[in-house]
Amino acid sequence: MKSLFGSPGKLSGLVLRTSQCLFSAASLAVMATASGFSSATSFSFLIATMGLEVLWSFGLACLDIHALIFKKDLHNHIVLCLVVIGDWVSAILSLSAACSSAGVMIVFIKDTDICRTQPTLACDAFQISIALAFLAWFFLAVSSYVMFWLLANI
Amino acid sequence: MKSLFGSPGKLSGLVLRTSQCLFSAASLAVMATASGFSSATSFSFLIATMGLEVLWSFGLACLDIHALIFKKDLHNHIVLCLVVIGDWVSAILSLSAACSSAGVMIVFIKDTDICRTQPTLACDAFQISIALAFLAWFFLAVSSYVMFWLLANI
């Protein structure tokens, strides 16, 4: 069993999970507090997906901390299988939510000029939240590839 | 070297590549002939991405046909590396384009009612094109996982 950067039960794995958790929590918080986020269904989907990612990454970060403290080995087939499936579902959902929100944002800013005509919409906050969601997805994608690689080599 | 369903140079691989090529070409054709597609930037992005996927999948389908006719083995490290990188870039772009277009479509239908107030927009065609793009992405995702698994096991 190879031990790669970002493997479960390693410090690099914990750093990756913590980054995912922080960026998705920040994305969720910024979007949920932005005025007018309910104007687009995609923004609500982003909030739901980021909520799911916070829970998933927080759970795995706790598992990493437990493994680091008690020096447990998490490289077994069942744990890796579950983490790979969860990671990929979560990564695909995150990318979908971030991209659909980005598509809506382009309509609001470029295609229709709604952001200028309706100052009640917190367009800057929407954009920050979407950027944070892309960052959260990036770290989750790195974890997903590492887990899939480990599973293929087990 | 394991030989999985959808491996390069196998009939199942050729079927997967042909499906990707056909669905992305159909998505591109439906979107490009729909009236008012230029109203949203995301739809133009979908056309560009589907065009890229048609070229990529067609190229790999030709490689599969060549390997099948001349009984060549495509399971070498350099070919697999190139195909994995191309597949993953193409899959992420396809999912991004399909999701951003779906986000825009939800704004047009559910959030703002533009589709009813502007009958010049071919909303049905947009939806068909987006559904075809998701199908093309699904087949590309299957290929990407198979290729990544093969690369990890080489």
Side-chain angles (χ1 to χ4, degrees), chain A residues 28 70 73 79 99 104 117 129 144 150:
Chain A
L28 191 158
F70 297 101
D73 183 21
V79 171
C99 288
V104 172
T117 55
S129 171
S144 312
L150 286 173

Side-chain angles (χ1 to χ4, degrees), chain A:
Chain A
M1 165 57 65
K2 290 177 194 170
S3 193
L4 295 173
F5 170 86
S7 301
K10 279 189 71 179
L11 194 64
S12 52
L14 179 61
V15 170
L16 269 181
R17 295 295 172 192
T18 313
S19 311
Q20 291 158 28
C21 194
L22 288 178
F23 282 114
S24 46
S27 170
L28 191 158
V30 172
M31 185 59 89
T33 53
S35 78
F37 80 85
S38 57
S39 59
T41 310
S42 297
F43 295 158
S44 307
F45 178 47
L46 186 79
I47 290 178
T49 314
M50 288 300 115
L52 187 79
E53 196 176 324
V54 168
L55 291 176
W56 175 253
S57 305
F58 182 72
L60 289 179
C62 290
L63 195 70
D64 279 341
I65 291 170
H66 174 84
L68 278 169
I69 292 173
F70 297 101
K71 310 238 178 285
K72 294 248 177 158
D73 183 21
L74 296 175
H75 292 78
N76 73 66
H77 203 267
I78 298 168
V79 171
L80 277 181
C81 250
L82 288 174
V83 175
V84 163
I85 294 169
D87 264 358
W88 279 107
V89 170
S90 187
I92 290 172
L93 281 176
S94 301
L95 183 62
S96 309
C99 288
S100 60
S101 301
V104 172
M105 215 50 237
I106 293 170
V107 169
F108 279 10
I109 294 176
K110 194 170 169 286
D111 301 328
T112 59
D113 233 8
I114 285 178
C115 277
R116 250 199 309 191
T117 55
Q118 291 193 19
T120 50
L121 286 177
C123 287
D124 289 338
F126 298 158
Q127 288 176 74
I128 292 167
S129 171
I130 294 166
L132 289 167
F134 273 112
L135 278 171
W137 165 76
F138 173 76
F139 289 112
L140 189 55
V142 174
S143 281
S144 312
Y145 280 109
V146 171
M147 295 299 153
F148 195 64
W149 190 271
L150 286 173
L151 184 70
N153 279 295
I154 208 165

Side-chain angles (χ1 to χ4, degrees), chain A residues 41 88 99 111 145 148 152-153, chain B residues 41 88 99-100 111 145 148 152-153:
Chain A
T41 310
W88 279 107
C99 288
D111 301 328
Y145 280 109
F148 195 64
N153 279 295
Chain B
T41 311
W88 279 107
C99 287
S100 60
D111 301 329
Y145 280 108
F148 195 64
N153 278 295

